[in-house]
Amino acid sequence: MLRRRLTSLLSTSIRNAHNQFHTPNSILLSRISHETSLLQFAQCPPDFPNPSTNRFFSYQNTRAYSSLLALNDLRDNKGARKQKTRKGRGIGSGKGKTAGRGHKGQKARGTMKFGFEGGQTPLRRRLPKRGFKNPFSLTFQPVGLGKIAKLINAGKIDSSELITMKTLKDAGAIGKQIRDGVRLMGRGAEHIQWPIHLEVSRVTVRAKAAVEAAGGSVRRVYYNKLGFQALLKPEWFEKKGRLLPKAARPPPKQRDKVDSIGRLPAPTKPIPLTHNEKEEMSA
C-alpha cells in the first residue's frame, strides 16, 4: 500500500514538473531527491527504474507499475452478489408488516396443495387421459436356439446338464437385467442336432418342437421377483446371512401358462417326465 501511494505521489510531481516550465530547477531537483529517498526506503523491486541513476525517468513506466492489480483490490462486479430478501423486518425494508403477502385471504394465511386453483377444476383434471399401462403385463427377455447352440459349441454351456436361466445369464446368452423371465425363441433351430434340456419362463411352439425333435425337453417354470433374485444371485443371500426363499406358487392367471414351480437353488438335472408328458411326446 505504501509503495503504491509513493508511486502515485512521484508520478504526480513529475507531471507537474513537466507542465510547469517556470518552476526553478533547484525546487524540482530537491523534490525528486526527497521522493527518491522515500522509494529507496520502501524497497522498490529490481525491475523498477532507479531514480538515483535517471534524474528524469520515463513517466510511462511509473504509470504502468502503479496500475498493477493487488489482491486487496479484488472486488465482485456490481450486482454479482445479491443479498437475500429478509421479510418481516420493518417497513423500511420494503417487505415488512405483511411481508409481501398482502391483506387477508387464503394466500396470506397459509399454504395450499400443489395444483389447487381456488376450488375450480384444476388443469390436471381438465385435460383428457391418454394411454394405458397394464399392471399385469410381463416382459420376457428373448433368446434363440441358435445362440444357445453357438455357446454349446464354444464350450461355455454344458449340454449334458440342465440349462436354466442362470446358466444362460452366466454364459452371456442374455443380459443382466431380467425382469420377468426368459422366452425361448425358435431362431436358429436347425443348429440343434443333439438333445438338450432347458427350463425357461416361456417357449414358442417352434422352439419346443425343435428341441423335442432332437430328443430334448423344455419346461416352463415360474419364479416371482424374489425367486429370480435367489436363482440368479444366490451369493447375495449368503452375504446377508439369509436363507434362500421357498419357491412361490404362480398366480391363478399364470397357472395354465407354466408347467411347474421353479426350484431353488438353480437345479442341475431335469425333472423326470410324467406319464402324461411322455404320452404327449410320443403322440
Side-chain angles (χ1 to χ4, degrees):
M1 189 68 181
L2 178 60
R3 185 183 305 171
R4 283 190 280 107
R5 293 184 63 182
L6 291 176
T7 307
S8 61
L9 180 62
L10 182 59
S11 61
T12 305
S13 62
I14 295 175
R15 191 188 311 114
N16 295 335
H18 282 285
N19 295 336
Q20 299 176 2
F21 292 100
H22 62 276
T23 304
N25 293 336
S26 59
I27 299 177
L28 181 60
L29 292 175
S30 61
R31 184 179 299 176
I32 292 177
S33 62
H34 175 67
E35 293 171 352
T36 302
S37 61
L38 291 177
L39 284 174
Q40 291 176 354
F41 177 76
Q43 297 180 358
C44 296
D47 55 347
F48 191 77
N50 190 358
S52 60
T53 57
N54 301 327
R55 180 186 299 179
F56 301 100
F57 55 93
S58 176
Y59 169 72
Q60 296 180 355
N61 296 337
T62 309
R63 185 176 181 182
Y65 177 76
S66 63
S67 63
L68 291 178
L69 183 64
L71 293 178
N72 57 345
D73 291 336
L74 294 177
R75 298 288 186 276
D76 286 329
N77 294 331
K78 188 175 181 180
R81 291 179 178 266
K82 185 178 180 180
Q83 292 185 352
K84 183 180 178 181
T85 303
R86 301 174 73 241
K87 297 182 178 180
R89 295 298 184 271
I91 58 177
S93 64
K95 292 291 183 181
K97 192 184 174 184
T98 55
R101 286 172 172 253
H103 293 278
K104 298 184 180 179
Q106 189 175 20
K107 295 183 179 179
R109 293 192 172 96
T111 58
M112 295 165 290
K113 185 173 66 174
F114 178 76
F116 183 69
E117 300 182 13
Q120 71 178 10
T121 305
L123 180 64
R124 57 184 172 82
R125 293 179 56 189
R126 293 198 301 267
L127 297 177
K129 294 181 180 180
R130 292 186 62 85
F132 170 73
K133 183 177 180 181
N134 186 5
F136 302 103
S137 63
L138 300 175
T139 303
F140 299 103
Q141 194 164 357
V143 58
L145 288 174
K147 181 179 264 188
I148 296 176
K150 184 178 179 180
L151 293 174
I152 292 175
N153 294 330
K156 295 183 179 181
I157 295 179
D158 188 3
S159 60
S160 60
E161 294 184 354
L162 178 65
I163 302 175
T164 61
M165 288 178 279
K166 177 175 175 55
T167 307
L168 298 175
K169 175 181 171 296
D170 296 340
I174 55 179
K176 296 181 180 180
Q177 299 297 333
I178 305 175
R179 294 188 58 182
D180 298 309
V182 177
R183 183 190 300 274
L184 185 64
M185 311 295 290
R187 296 190 297 264
E190 63 277 2
H191 299 287
I192 300 297
Q193 304 294 337
W194 56 90
I196 56 176
H197 302 277
L198 301 99
E199 282 190 359
V200 291
S201 300
R202 297 290 188 272
V203 58
T204 61
V205 176
R206 179 188 174 190
K208 184 174 182 181
V211 172
E212 292 177 351
S217 63
V218 181
R219 186 180 295 271
R220 299 173 299 175
V221 293
Y222 171 78
Y223 288 99
N224 59 357
K225 295 289 185 182
L226 187 62
F228 267 119
Q229 186 177 1
L231 175 70
L232 303 177
K233 294 183 179 180
E235 63 276 2
W236 184 87
F237 292 86
E238 183 179 357
K239 181 180 179 181
K240 297 293 183 178
R242 297 170 55 180
L243 298 175
L244 291 177
K246 293 183 179 180
R249 291 178 298 178
K253 291 185 178 181
Q254 298 189 37
R255 287 177 183 173
D256 57 339
K257 298 180 181 180
V258 297
D259 298 325
S260 62
I261 300 174
R263 294 171 289 171
L264 293 173
T268 57
K269 294 183 180 180
I271 300 176
L273 298 176
T274 61
H275 180 70
N276 294 334
E277 291 177 345
K278 290 182 179 179
E279 290 181 354
E280 291 178 0
M281 292 185 61
S282 60

